[in-house]
């Protein structure tokens, strides 16, 4: 969105990322995620929500990028909740 050339931080973007999960690193990995957010937030701080880029041949605004991320996090949180329910048998209320 900010026109910066950014090297991917994690894997080739396929499911092999899950093969490298280490629960003992959860706190460290969460801190790293939060640290990744800071420069991303700074990069778009002055970019209007209506700013569009070409993403895979289609226009995408900063607003749509944020909405996409919100949807992705929601979906993955839902997956985590399903896994937790499978482990402990307690369903959401």
């Amino acid at each position: 969105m900010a026109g910066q050339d950014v090297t991917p931080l994690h894997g080739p973007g396929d499911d092999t990322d899950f093969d490298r999960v280490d629960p003992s690193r959860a706190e460290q990995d969460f801190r790293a995620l939060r640290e990744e957010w800071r420069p991303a937030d700074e990069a778009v701080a002055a970019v209007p929500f209506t700013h569009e880029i070409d993403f895979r041949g289609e226009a995408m605004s900063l607003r749509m990028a944020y909405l996409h991320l919100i949807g992705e996090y929601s979906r993955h949180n839902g997956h985590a909740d399903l896994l937790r329910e499978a482990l402990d048998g307690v369903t959401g209320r």
Side-chain angles (χ1 to χ4, degrees):
M1 283 295 164
Q4 297 175 356
D5 186 21
V6 179
T7 303
L9 295 172
H10 306 285
D14 59 23
D15 290 342
T16 61
D17 288 348
F18 293 106
D19 296 336
R20 294 185 298 274
V21 173
D22 180 356
S24 69
R25 294 179 41 89
E27 268 189 63
Q28 181 180 350
D29 289 343
F30 185 67
R31 278 194 306 272
L33 173 65
R34 301 231 2 172
E35 188 55 31
E36 291 170 21
W37 289 344
R38 187 185 50 74
D41 288 343
E42 290 171 0
V44 296
V47 176
F49 285 131
T50 55
H51 175 73
E52 291 184 344
I53 62 165
D54 177 61
F55 180 73
R56 298 180 182 160
E58 304 227 0
M60 178 181 280
S61 68
L62 179 59
R63 175 179 285 112
M64 289 308 299
Y66 277 130
L67 289 173
H68 174 76
L69 288 172
I70 291 167
E72 284 293 314
Y73 275 107
S74 297
R75 201 167 13 266
H76 290 296
N77 286 336
H79 294 159
D81 194 43
L82 291 172
L83 291 171
R84 183 206 41 81
E85 286 179 11
L87 292 171
D88 66 15
V90 177
T91 59
R93 294 181 178 87

